[in-house]
Amino acid sequence: MYPQRTGLIIWVTDVKQTKHLEKLGTVHYVSKRMHYVVLYVNADKADETAKAAQKYPFVKKVERSYRNEIRTEYNSNVPDKAKLYT
C-alpha cells in the first residue's frame, strides 16, 4: 500500500537554499548548526534523486541513511532481577 521509503542525508553549504530540495522528496529535518538535511524519497528512485541533488551548487555531499538496515528487535538473555525481589 505504502511505497518503501529511504532517507538521504544531504550536506549543504547554505541552509537557506534547502527549499530547492523539497522538489526531490520530503524534507524531514534541517540542521542549521551542522548544515545537513534529512530527505525521504522512494527507495526505487533513491539513486536518481541522489544524483539530482548532487547537481545543486550548494550541496557538498549526499549520503544514504542506514536506518532501515539497523536491527530494531532485541532479545535479552539476562535474567530479570526484579523477579528475584518479589
Side-chain angles (χ1 to χ4, degrees):
M1 185 161 133
Y2 293 111
Q4 185 68 24
R5 306 282 279 173
T6 186
L8 295 175
I9 290 81
I10 302 174
W11 298 90
V12 296
T13 57
D14 188 17
V15 180
K16 292 180 182 179
Q17 300 292 329
T18 57
K19 291 194 177 214
H20 296 290
L21 296 175
E22 291 178 355
K23 296 182 217 174
L24 302 176
T26 305
V27 175
H28 179 71
Y29 180 73
V30 177
S31 173
K32 293 180 181 177
R33 188 172 67 106
M34 295 195 50
H35 296 283
Y36 72 90
V37 177
V38 178
L39 183 77
Y40 279 101
V41 296
N42 290 342
D44 54 348
K45 300 198 182 218
D47 294 332
E48 299 167 11
T49 307
K51 289 178 185 176
Q54 192 66 43
K55 291 181 181 179
Y56 286 112
F58 59 90
V59 173
K60 285 195 246 179
K61 183 169 67 168
V62 177
E63 297 177 355
R64 189 172 58 91
S65 173
Y66 294 105
R67 184 166 189 220
N68 295 342
E69 299 171 10
I70 295 175
R71 185 175 57 93
T72 57
E73 297 174 4
Y74 305 105
N75 56 2
S76 176
N77 295 334
V78 179
D80 189 13
K81 292 186 179 181
K83 292 180 181 177
L84 297 175
Y85 298 112
T86 57

